[in-house]
Amino acid sequence: MKIVVQMTLNGLRIDVDEGMTILEAARFYGMNIPTLCYLEGLSPYGACRLCLVEIGMPGQSKLVTSCTYRVEEGLVVRTDSEWVIKRRKMLIELYLATCPSSKVIQDLASKYHVTTVRFTPWHEDCILCGLCVRMCAEQMQGKAIGFAHRGSNRRVTTPFDKESEVCRLCGGCMYVCPACQSRCQGPQEEQPVCNACLNLQQPCLDYFEDKMCFMDPCVACELDANREVKAKRRP
Amino acid sequence: MPINLIGVEPLYKELNHNTTLSLVRFLLQGGVLMNTGIRSKLAKPVDLKNLREMLKDRLDPKKQRLVVCGDTGCSVCGSRELAPAIEEVLQERGLAGSVELKVTGCLGFCEKGPLVLVFPGAVFYQQVQAEDAAEIVEKTVLRGEIVDRLLYTDPADGRKITCAYDIPFYKLQTRTLLETGWYINPLDIDDYIARGGYAALAKVLDGMPPEAVIAEIKEADLRGRGGAGFPTGLKWEFCRAAAGNEKYILCNADEGDPGAFMDRSLLEGNPHAVLEGIIIAAYAVGAKEGIIYIRIEYPTAVLKIEQAVRQARELGLLGKNILGSGFDFEVIISKGAGAFVCGEETALIRAAEGKVGEPRQKPPFPANAGFRGMPTVINNVETFVNVPLIINRGAAAYHETGTESSGGTKIFCLVGKINNSGLVEVPFGTTLRQIIFGIGGGIKNGKRFKAVQTGGPSGGCLPEEMLDLKVDFKDLAQAGSIMGSGGMIVMDEDTCVVDLARYFLQFLKSESCGKCFSCRVGIQRMLEIYDRLTTGSASIEDLDLLEELAVTVKDTSMCGLGQTSANPVLSTLRYFRDEYLAHVRDKRCPAGVCRSLFRYSIDQDSCIGCGSCAEQCHAGAIVEMEEGCYSINPELCTRCGACVEACVSDAITKG
């Protein structure tokens, strides 16, 4: 029998099955948390850091990766609080500067209104999310690729950089890669941010604390004066 | 496989390597043989007591002893030649039987090594070389005279000090953990037992329930000495309460901070104390197996802990049915090869399992799912050394030293631009000023104090106004630094904090495992900004960006390495913002360290035209414009400073 735990997600009291992660619970209830290294069917990895959410009561809260954190009784989660959004935007800016040619990252930037990049673009082909490595090992039973070296030299490769004997050229690694998709359109090389999909009609709120508007894009919170939306309005 | 069962690995395997052989010979100087023969096991606690009784004459305070520091620092300075020389002289004089020679672990005052202590009286000789051996034996041992020139001189009043305990460096410390190291040969279990070793283990196994042990540790407010300061008793309690019968104890001896060597000194000076702490912890949480994860860059420490494990097993202090209590425990030694990140507990677990040493996201915490997925307690070497002390003295007596939230003492490695660098043990709550100016004896060459970096590369940089800060986990965290494992790097006015933060970031960049994005990319991007700062091409917006980036890396990284990597950046930005502004606005490095931001020039009024600077300049940047008139071409100058040293009339200025 499934054990159900009760938790609070963006001000909503919800019931979820024990053993679920915060990310799974949030997606089940229709709240989107951005991810780059998570894929259903692969083991959670916690490396892209985009799925960070704030847990705990204000004042004692902390940021955790929702893809690895399992739900527990009485857990209070805020997926789009000021703290989360600030850090997430900075991460997206860093992603854009690392890998501006990825459509997935460009779309994320537009969604989160990241319109400038203050770093020199690197034009990397890989963000080391590890999806391909896990895809190969866990779904294709291939284990043809893995990580080599550490830190800034870390990269995905076959053992000893030799052509792999176990690789079946299935292409699963390319299929899941968020970085190697080409851009939706081609902004100039020196301009790393595309923002073609930027929603010029911005949502009325930047972030949400305990109560969240579930309209995406948000339209109507202003209509209801009684709603306690404790968030700062866009100037 | 990185895991070796060392019991099966005979010692001669280690010995066939020439350097190891000479190392062992050196460490064994004084004739104490290793207990390689089979000894009868101690079946009951009373057997241990009887053995201690038998070894009583080792404690004889009147016996003449010569103690030579065998730690790495002293041995590279010459104690490796000194110990054989002393032994030779003793044999020549026929004193080999009556005078005991001991090569011990670190004696602490590394600045003045090689060190020799002569007992009785604890006569302290510094910077002793092999040539001095005969004189020491002749005068001090035979005639009780003091060799004046080898004594320590107090810089404050020029007075010579004979007894080690009167030297301010030692006098101002509270040496409880390090104390035993002065008297024991780390390779000899009998020395440890004679000084009360394994008494705590016997006390625990002789009718103290595991819960009572945990309660005692909790009451003592022992906090993990590895850096984060998590209450040890609580950790043990979680692990004991965790489901599962298979539990593990992991000892973190993967000390990797630049300038820190507390754990190495403890392992080399008193390995049995570490082992005793591990066995007690295992009994408290119900573990049957322990792993000591030690870095292979510490060959002496590896050798000594392996010897300790072997001897403890011989005496039945490890293995089945320890001291007749029915408690079984075995220890495995796992050697790690040089990765700073493996000091992080989840990375350490993976490395000990034989996988790539990379952290994973917590929770679950190791107390619930650690080594091989089983509940595991991970503690630092120094934490374990505190455990027998607490059991022997009782929590209340132990907690008399320290602050309310953390009991006991902490060992620091005092290094950098300080007069008395070395190993320092003080109670929690001692101020930084007491440590740096009292024990440390102030800044070298009479320069001004600028900052102290506590906690190694992931720590914070604290300025002069924070010197009265009490050293404690909480207070240091509030000040924007960390306790870390206890490194303390002191800097003088010639240090540029921008350059310093850049140096630490560079270290962390090469040590980051690269798994999580924010640590890997965040550190590299911070370094890009530092490159601009130190070359004078940064803008004022870069400072805000740096701060925003540092906070992001701190908040969003997976493990401790990333979360603390921003500390050097944030603390220097907080306390030394003016210096950053000078780099940005005035394109000037106030300390004169950042090479792109200053120029050397020759003051024509004081120049005597000797030309020695031009001779020294390897870049050919100094040319004689007309006779006796030199000038420096800034385009060619590499700012190496060789000309400044060559100048006899101090005519070359920085600016």
Side-chain angles (χ1 to χ4, degrees):
Chain A
M1 210 185 80
K2 274 182 184 166
I3 304 170
V4 172
V5 293
Q6 212 172 49
M7 58 176 272
T8 312
L9 182 64
N10 293 338
L12 275 182
R13 298 283 292 274
I14 56 166
D15 290 334
V16 280
D17 294 340
E18 195 183 37
M20 265 181 143
T21 60
I22 296 177
L23 180 71
E24 284 163 351
R27 289 200 174 164
F28 180 79
Y29 281 93
M31 280 169 226
N32 191 35
I33 299 174
T35 57
L36 282 174
C37 73
Y38 174 84
L39 195 70
E40 217 175 311
L42 298 180
S43 58
Y45 190 55
C48 78
R49 317 310 289 169
L50 278 179
C51 71
L52 286 167
V53 293
E54 187 180 346
I55 60 162
M57 303 312 279
Q60 297 161 346
S61 59
K62 57 177 179 177
L63 296 181
V64 298
T65 43
S66 59
C67 69
T68 58
Y69 202 97
R70 306 220 172 259
V71 293
E72 49 199 52
E73 187 64 44
L75 188 70
V76 180
V77 178
R78 285 176 296 281
T79 61
D80 286 74
S81 67
E82 182 182 7
W83 192 13
V84 172
I85 296 297
K86 254 187 176 168
R87 301 292 173 258
R88 203 177 275 162
K89 281 175 105 164
M90 186 70 191
L91 287 171
I92 293 173
E93 190 178 335
L94 285 169
Y95 271 113
L96 258 185
T98 311
C99 212
S101 59
S102 157
K103 178 174 172 355
V104 179
I105 295 169
Q106 289 284 354
D107 288 353
L108 263 177
S110 291
K111 185 155 184 239
Y112 280 86
H113 270 270
V114 177
T115 51
T116 49
V117 174
R118 290 166 288 177
F119 305 99
T120 359
W122 282 348
H123 297 289
E124 298 271 341
D125 302 324
C126 178
I127 52 166
L128 297 169
C129 66
L131 276 179
C132 52
V133 176
R134 279 172 290 147
M135 183 70 180
C136 187
E138 293 170 18
Q139 290 294 335
M140 307 315 296
Q141 312 299 326
K143 293 190 183 172
I145 48 175
F147 293 105
H149 305 287
R150 73 173 178 217
S152 48
N153 300 323
R154 187 177 167 97
R155 59 198 164 84
V156 175
T157 181
T158 52
F160 308 107
D161 291 338
K162 295 225 168 80
E163 201 176 307
S164 171
E165 285 165 14
V166 290
C167 173
R168 302 191 295 274
L169 301 174
C170 70
C173 44
M174 282 167 72
Y175 179 73
V176 294
C177 179
C180 67
Q181 292 184 27
S182 58
R183 261 184 281 197
C184 45
Q185 51 154 274
Q188 302 304 306
E189 276 286 288
E190 54 280 356
Q191 165 59 25
V193 53
C194 157
N195 280 159
C197 312
L198 193 67
N199 182 5
L200 295 172
Q201 191 127 44
Q202 294 177 14
C204 59
L205 295 176
D206 275 340
Y207 50 83
F208 308 91
E209 294 298 337
D210 285 331
K211 296 272 165 59
M212 184 169 180
C213 164
F214 301 109
M215 304 297 224
D216 192 13
C218 162
V219 278
C221 66
E222 261 177 294
L223 301 177
D224 188 352
N226 294 327
R227 272 174 82 143
E228 290 173 48
V229 183
K230 290 183 203 152
K232 224 167 117 195
R233 188 149 307 176
R234 208 174 269 282
Chain B
M1 277 290 285
I3 297 172
N4 297 319
L5 252 176
I6 60 115
V8 247
E9 199 178 58
L11 193 63
Y12 58 77
K13 205 172 145 197
E14 305 273 345
L15 294 188
N16 56 22
H17 197 269
N18 266 343
T19 49
T20 328
L21 185 62
S22 71
L23 180 70
V24 175
R25 272 201 200 122
F26 161 62
L27 296 170
L28 280 177
Q29 220 82 48
V32 180
L33 287 172
M34 278 194 231
N35 306 305
T36 40
I38 302 295
R39 299 178 60 175
S40 57
K41 292 199 173 180
L42 306 170
K44 292 187 291 298
V46 70
D47 291 351
L48 182 72
K49 231 176 183 170
N50 292 341
L51 176 63
R52 188 170 302 127
E53 198 63 27
M54 264 165 61
L55 298 166
K56 213 168 62 180
D57 62 321
R58 294 201 182 203
L59 297 178
D60 184 7
K62 289 191 210 87
K63 187 167 168 119
Q64 285 194 308
R65 281 193 192 88
L66 276 164
V67 172
V68 178
C69 178
D71 193 67
T72 312
C74 282
S75 62
V76 292
C77 289
S79 77
R80 248 173 143 153
E81 289 77 41
L82 172 65
I86 294 182
E87 193 175 28
E88 206 173 297
V89 177
L90 287 178
Q91 259 158 9
E92 272 172 26
R93 302 278 187 278
L95 294 168
S98 57
V99 180
E100 193 182 354
L101 170 66
K102 239 176 219 174
V103 178
T104 62
C106 185
L107 297 178
F109 207 168
C110 309
E111 182 76 35
K112 302 287 179 191
L115 306 177
V116 172
L117 286 170
V118 188
F119 289 98
V123 180
F124 180 88
Y125 289 140
Q126 60 171 31
Q127 289 163 343
V128 187
Q129 293 301 326
E131 305 86 84
D132 308 320
E135 198 177 347
I136 291 177
V137 174
E138 204 96 336
K139 281 194 173 166
T140 315
V141 177
L142 285 175
R143 282 183 269 154
E145 288 167 16
I146 304 297
V147 185
D148 224 38
R149 65 187 170 86
L150 295 174
L151 287 180
Y152 173 77
T153 316
D154 190 347
D157 49 12
R159 196 166 48 92
K160 298 225 170 193
I161 301 174
T162 315
C163 177
Y165 295 105
D166 294 336
I167 296 172
F169 178 77
Y170 290 115
K171 210 164 131 186
L172 298 169
Q173 294 185 43
T174 311
R175 295 172 74 90
T176 41
L177 304 174
L178 296 171
E179 172 78 20
T180 344
W182 281 21
Y183 302 99
I184 61 167
N185 178 344
L187 285 170
D188 188 7
I189 192 169
D190 288 350
D191 259 13
Y192 182 63
I193 290 177
R195 297 217 150 252
Y198 290 105
L201 178 66
K203 184 177 169 186
V204 162
L205 293 180
D206 199 15
M208 207 169 159
E211 290 78 13
V213 178
I214 293 176
E216 196 79 7
I217 302 293
K218 272 171 88 176
E219 204 195 317
D221 277 322
L222 174 64
R223 279 165 184 272
R225 303 291 198 249
F230 191 81
T232 305
L234 216 54
K235 198 186 256 185
W236 292 10
E237 197 172 56
F238 288 152
C239 186
R240 182 162 183 83
N245 289 326
E246 196 184 328
K247 288 172 186 171
Y248 293 94
I249 299 286
L250 258 170
C251 172
N252 184 349
D254 191 60
E255 183 179 51
D257 288 13
F261 49 91
M262 297 79 43
D263 294 350
R264 176 173 62 74
S265 298
L266 283 170
L267 283 164
E268 290 183 3
N270 200 357
H272 284 285
V274 183
L275 197 56
E276 190 180 357
I278 294 174
I279 305 171
I280 293 171
Y283 173 75
V285 304
K288 296 268 171 292
E289 209 174 302
I291 300 103
I292 300 174
Y293 185 87
I294 182 166
R295 63 197 309 235
I296 202 135
E297 292 91 335
Y298 284 172
T300 319
V302 173
L303 199 95
K304 285 180 174 174
I305 193 74
E306 285 188 341
Q307 169 74 354
V309 169
R310 196 176 295 120
Q311 289 178 337
R313 195 176 290 133
E314 267 171 20
L315 280 179
L317 296 165
L318 275 177
K320 292 238 174 289
N321 195 10
I322 298 170
L323 295 178
S325 64
F327 168 62
D328 309 333
F329 184 63
E330 240 337 309
V331 162
I332 281 171
I333 291 175
S334 174
K335 293 166 207 157
F340 180 69
V341 73
C342 287
E344 201 278 338
E345 52 184 8
T346 55
L348 187 142
I349 288 173
R350 282 179 61 94
E353 285 170 344
K355 298 176 185 156
V356 179
E358 273 170 14
R360 63 155 175 81
Q361 186 66 49
K362 291 185 277 189
F365 290 95
N368 292 314
F371 190 66
R372 295 181 186 148
M374 298 298 163
T376 304
V377 159
I378 299 192
N379 277 135
N380 170 266
V381 169
E382 200 184 327
T383 318
F384 283 123
V385 177
N386 276 283
V387 171
L389 207 70
I390 294 169
I391 302 292
N392 280 330
R393 291 192 179 177
Y398 173 85
H399 204 174
E400 271 168 23
T401 42
T403 60
E404 203 175 307
S405 58
S406 8
T409 54
K410 173 83 191 86
I411 304 175
F412 291 98
C413 279
L414 201 54
V415 292
K417 306 281 178 66
I418 186 135
N419 277 322
N420 305 340
S421 59
L423 209 58
V424 168
E425 184 181 346
V426 288
F428 280 103
T430 311
T431 62
L432 285 169
R433 192 183 297 279
Q434 276 168 300
I435 298 176
I436 294 165
F437 288 94
I439 299 166
I443 310 301
K444 262 197 176 137
N445 305 326
K447 299 237 174 177
R448 256 176 70 96
F449 169 87
K450 182 165 190 178
V452 56
Q453 172 93 4
T454 66
S458 338
C461 207
L462 301 174
E464 200 168 357
E465 55 266 31
M466 301 303 282
L467 273 178
D468 290 311
L469 187 81
K470 289 196 164 93
V471 175
D472 183 71
F473 288 103
K474 209 173 73 194
D475 289 11
L476 277 173
Q478 264 169 11
S481 183
I482 56 168
M483 175 77 82
S485 54
M488 211 173 255
I489 305 168
V490 180
M491 284 151 288
D492 66 8
E493 54 194 322
D494 292 343
T495 315
C496 167
V497 289
V498 179
D499 184 66
L500 176 89
R502 179 165 174 260
Y503 166 80
F504 284 127
L505 279 180
Q506 241 155 7
F507 173 84
L508 292 167
K509 179 194 160 200
S510 57
E511 291 299 334
S512 160
C513 76
K515 181 176 177 180
C516 86
F517 179 80
S518 50
C519 170
R520 181 184 70 238
V521 174
I523 292 177
Q524 287 184 69
R525 292 298 189 180
M526 284 195 273
L527 265 172
E528 278 183 7
I529 300 175
Y530 273 99
D531 284 341
R532 292 206 287 274
L533 280 167
T534 50
T535 51
S537 53
S539 63
I540 202 86
E541 290 80 32
D542 276 339
L543 285 188
D544 298 332
L545 181 63
L546 179 65
E547 194 158 1
E548 197 184 332
L549 188 55
V551 176
T552 305
V553 174
K554 188 185 175 118
D555 283 350
T556 64
S557 291
M558 179 182 281
C559 80
L561 191 148
Q563 285 158 11
T564 54
S565 66
N567 282 344
V569 177
L570 290 171
S571 63
T572 48
L573 271 172
R574 177 171 159 189
Y575 296 117
F576 298 96
R577 206 173 184 97
D578 290 350
E579 208 163 322
Y580 277 89
L581 287 175
H583 281 76
V584 176
R585 258 196 230 136
D586 318 337
K587 312 286 175 212
R588 191 174 63 84
C589 174
V593 175
C594 302
R595 290 188 176 188
S596 318
L597 299 183
F598 67 85
R599 280 178 181 189
Y600 283 116
S601 54
I602 298 174
D603 177 21
Q604 298 301 343
D605 293 338
S606 31
C607 176
I608 54 168
C610 67
S612 49
C613 53
E615 276 169 34
Q616 284 299 317
C617 183
H618 69 99
I622 305 181
V623 281
E624 194 171 10
M625 306 301 279
E626 50 194 85
E627 199 172 335
C629 179
Y630 290 85
S631 101
I632 301 175
N633 180 353
E635 301 289 309
L636 294 175
C637 175
T638 60
R639 280 94 175 161
C640 68
C643 51
V644 181
E645 277 166 38
C647 183
V648 287
S649 58
D650 291 335
I652 298 174
T653 52
K654 231 183 213 183

